[in-house]
Amino acid sequence: MIKDVMVWLDGGQADEVRLAAVADIARRFESQVIGLFLNPLPLPGPVDGDAAGALATAELMERARQVGDKTETKLAKRLQLLERPAEIRRFDVLANDIANVAAREARSADTFLALRPNGSLDPERLVEGVLFGSGRHLYLVPEAERPNIAFDNVVIAWNGSRESARALAEGMPFLHQAKEVTVVVINDGPLAEDKAILGTDAVHHLKHHGIDAVLHRAKSRNGDVAAKLIAEVQRRKADLIVMGGYGHSRLREWLLGGVTYSLMHEAPVPVLMAH
């Protein structure tokens, strides 16, 4: 079950979108809300033995902490309006540590909710850090004024990988609330023998859990799996996509696979993503 939902908050206007979404999830699962406030501190300048420079850096740090105090107070009051048990976790962190701290904190929550990383609302490094570093799932919400949070009609993007299996397991609490579950397999190449039965294993597994899922196969004629998956989601009027997130590290940068990147930025409905 989903007993605690963590949401990243920064004191800006986008908090209202995140909190509207997290409130819906918390009510559905009767769960607790954890507001994660990562107060950014200025990066220290070069150390050159200049006492005046050190003093200026200390003043900037103190000013950032004071701003953080005001934001924390504001967020704590806002969380009290959710009508769910709620707490705020505040950490003063350097900007380049935000993703690591978010991933660390997300490990102790059932769900981590954020907006799709478009523009400057939710930093890509934070979202990717939680996806690849927390071991838990990420619930990404489109940046709509009032996001539609529902689990009645769920599409599972299945390719038989470890990542998709992890997403399926993480999504079980949501799938148990669904009225309609479709396992979608997108074929983007010749249909080999092993691909011909791909997806039946996921359907059988779900039925063992009491979830009556159906299997749908679709062909991506131009190789754009993400576009085909989005089209299937829209055609079926799905409320939620469950899928694995793929990527690997290079010089501390997460390089996302094409389907992961596209769905993370373009999905018209919320995405439950796990690595």
Side-chain angles (χ1 to χ4, degrees):
M1 293 298 294
I2 306 297
K3 291 302 181 183
D4 41 28
V5 184
M6 182 173 288
V7 56
W8 179 66
L9 303 171
D10 63 0
Q13 292 184 348
D15 282 347
E16 290 305 313
V17 180
R18 302 184 192 102
L19 288 170
V22 83
D24 285 348
I25 294 176
R27 281 194 292 267
R28 291 283 290 268
F29 289 103
E30 298 184 347
S31 54
Q32 177 162 323
V33 176
I34 303 170
L36 180 65
F37 171 44
L38 303 179
N39 184 42
L41 300 178
L43 292 172
V47 179
D48 54 9
D50 183 1
L55 180 60
T57 299
E59 290 177 348
L60 287 174
M61 290 283 191
E62 180 58 28
R63 192 177 307 162
R65 290 189 174 93
Q66 290 174 359
V67 171
D69 291 342
K70 294 179 181 179
T71 302
E72 181 183 8
T73 299
K74 170 186 171 183
L75 292 175
K77 291 180 179 179
R78 180 61 182 85
L79 285 171
Q80 291 176 357
L81 302 178
L82 294 181
E83 299 181 351
R84 293 301 311 163
E87 66 173 284
I88 186 165
R89 293 184 189 174
R90 175 217 175 145
F91 298 92
D92 295 328
V93 297
L94 298 176
N96 55 0
D97 287 332
I98 284 180
N100 292 333
V101 174
R104 181 194 72 198
E105 293 303 307
R107 293 170 193 148
S108 61
D110 291 322
T111 297
F112 188 97
L113 185 141
L115 297 182
R116 296 187 313 184
N118 290 336
S120 60
L121 293 180
D122 285 27
E124 286 197 16
R125 287 187 63 87
L126 179 140
V127 171
E128 294 163 18
V130 171
L131 174 61
F132 296 112
S134 69
R136 307 311 303 266
H137 69 263
L138 185 68
Y139 196 105
L140 284 178
V141 178
E143 58 279 14
E145 182 176 348
R146 176 67 188 184
N148 179 35
I149 304 300
F151 325 124
D152 294 332
N153 186 348
V154 181
V155 162
I156 301 170
W158 183 258
N159 64 3
S161 67
R162 178 185 67 83
E163 289 82 359
S164 58
R166 183 62 189 160
L168 181 64
E170 286 280 312
M172 280 295 182
F174 300 89
L175 297 173
H176 276 292
Q177 294 207 7
K179 298 176 182 176
E180 183 177 347
V181 176
T182 306
V183 176
V184 174
V185 175
I186 307 293
N187 295 313
D188 59 347
L191 193 62
E193 183 178 353
D194 58 338
K195 289 186 178 181
I197 61 172
L198 187 62
T200 56
D201 48 357
V203 170
H204 291 323
H205 177 62
L206 288 167
K207 288 184 177 180
H208 295 160
H209 282 267
I211 298 169
D212 189 17
V214 298
L215 175 63
H216 175 74
R217 304 181 192 278
K219 176 70 175 177
S220 176
R221 300 187 183 281
N222 59 1
D224 192 341
V225 175
K228 184 62 177 179
L229 181 58
I230 289 175
E232 286 295 326
V233 167
Q234 293 175 323
R235 185 173 70 85
R236 296 176 179 278
K237 298 181 180 180
D239 304 310
L240 176 67
I241 306 169
V242 174
M243 65 173 289
Y246 309 91
H248 60 278
S249 62
R250 178 189 295 171
L251 300 178
R252 299 184 60 144
E253 295 289 337
W254 291 110
L255 305 178
L256 299 179
V259 178
T260 302
Y261 186 89
S262 295
L263 269 295
M264 183 179 285
H265 290 78
E266 301 170 10
V269 300
V271 180
L272 189 154
M273 192 175 289
H275 180 71

